[in-house]
Amino acid sequence: MLASLAPRSDFPLLAANPGMHYLDSAATSQKPAAVLNAIHEFYATANANPHRGAYALSARATDLYHDARATVARFVGVADSDCVVFTRGTTEAMNLVASSWGRANVQAGDEIVVTALEHHANFVPWQQLAIATGATLRIVELTPQQTIDLEQLRAVVTTRTKLVAITHVSNAVGAITPLAEVVHLVRARSAAVIVVDGAQAVPHLPVPFDALGIDFYAFSGHKLLAPMGIGCLIGRRALLESMPPYQFGGDMIEWVRDTECTWNVIPHKFEAGTPNAADAVGLAAAIRYLEALGMANVRAHEVALLERAEERVRALPGVTVYGPPPAQRSGVLSFSLADVHPHDLATILDQHGVCIRAGHHCAQPLMRRLGVSATARASFYVYNDERDVDALVGALEAAQRIFAAD
Ligand code: C6P
């Protein structure tokens, strides 16, 4: 019996629901008490508006916010913590780059490269930027195992390419992109800026931003045990410094004159308004929790669970599993069951206490290429164990019996 990596008792929601098999961590993860307590502690002992007060309480809030940024920088391999911009999540980070860097640098005749594997958050901002600027959107197709076709990428990237937007890990099928190869290939052909969607990677894999040599990287806290509403854009200093602000208001200015403004330094230039300091502190607590587990252990645990789940799910009649083999995926098992609509399947599984996501997973370009409108997706994380796999398989068998009787 494969035990969970993190004790279920660390997670109040799971502890309160012993019969629940939560297999939807790719949508959002459950939160350990350590994270909930850190947020409570911020409001109970340090609540003041960061960067605004001359009094000690405000200085404490500012310090905690600053420490949270330093913790993120350490976790994702960024030496210069000023290059970490807090956002609401991956979606806002991508929109920031598209609106700020994109509007300032992309024009008619340029090309923007995306892939057919992208979540809408890393597809629609670039599609809309292309429409607004007259640039051409080029879409890299996939291999039969739903990984990015690197030969296609090689063919599509040229000196006209201004930006390449690519996912580190697919949310819909879990495929991991070999980023080092992508960077090598893009750099050899163009001066394009490389933007990476790390929403499904940072919770599961060690991510060394500086060593990867990419330009922008985005992720969401809520998928790595942290609260919703906090995430990050990481960028190279020179790029961030060259970019115009994305939103205007408090904290992002240096001087405001009647007819013009000058801007604060990075990262503040991109953090207009009162920051989400409490959730940044929660994100730092989540990172410390994951660091204590060890990211190599997190990865090994997920692969072990995924291999067991996949072997047993594949053995069921009428099952199609999407994506490459488990060793090339994060903790995602995306599948369909003969003629059963994934939404019906998810509803039956819910009656057995098994929570999975069914739908297009905000990846409609991929679904179109798969020739389906939706898939069922089970996703594993540190609190899952083999009993969750047993429950998933048992519930799928029950669903098959119901549909066979119809
Ligand atoms: N994917 C899923 O169930 P936000 O909503 O900004 O935190 O993250 C958006 C996002 C961007 N990229 C990838 C690869 C993602 O997986 C997500 C969020 C969830 O797959 C909700 S649609």
Side-chain angles (χ1 to χ4, degrees), residues 26-27 89-91 119 121 171 197 199-200 220 222-223 357 362 377:
T90 308
T91 304
H119 184 282
N171 68 315
D197 176 348
Q200 298 289 347
S220 303
H222 69 94
K223 295 189 199 289
R357 181 168 175 188
C362 302
R377 184 189 71 181

Side-chain angles (χ1 to χ4, degrees), residues 24-28 87-95 117-122 167-172 197-201 218-223 228-231 332 357 360-363 377 379:
D24 198 17
S25 296
T28 198
T87 64
R88 281 192 295 129
T90 308
T91 304
E92 189 180 35
M94 290 308 180
N95 279 280
L117 201 54
E118 303 308 313
H119 184 282
H120 297 162
N122 198 30
T167 193
H168 194 172
V169 171
S170 152
N171 68 315
D197 176 348
Q200 298 289 347
F219 70 93
S220 303
H222 69 94
K223 295 189 199 289
M228 297 179 182
I230 188 80
V332 165
R357 181 168 175 188
H360 55 60
H361 313 298
C362 302
R377 184 189 71 181
S379 50

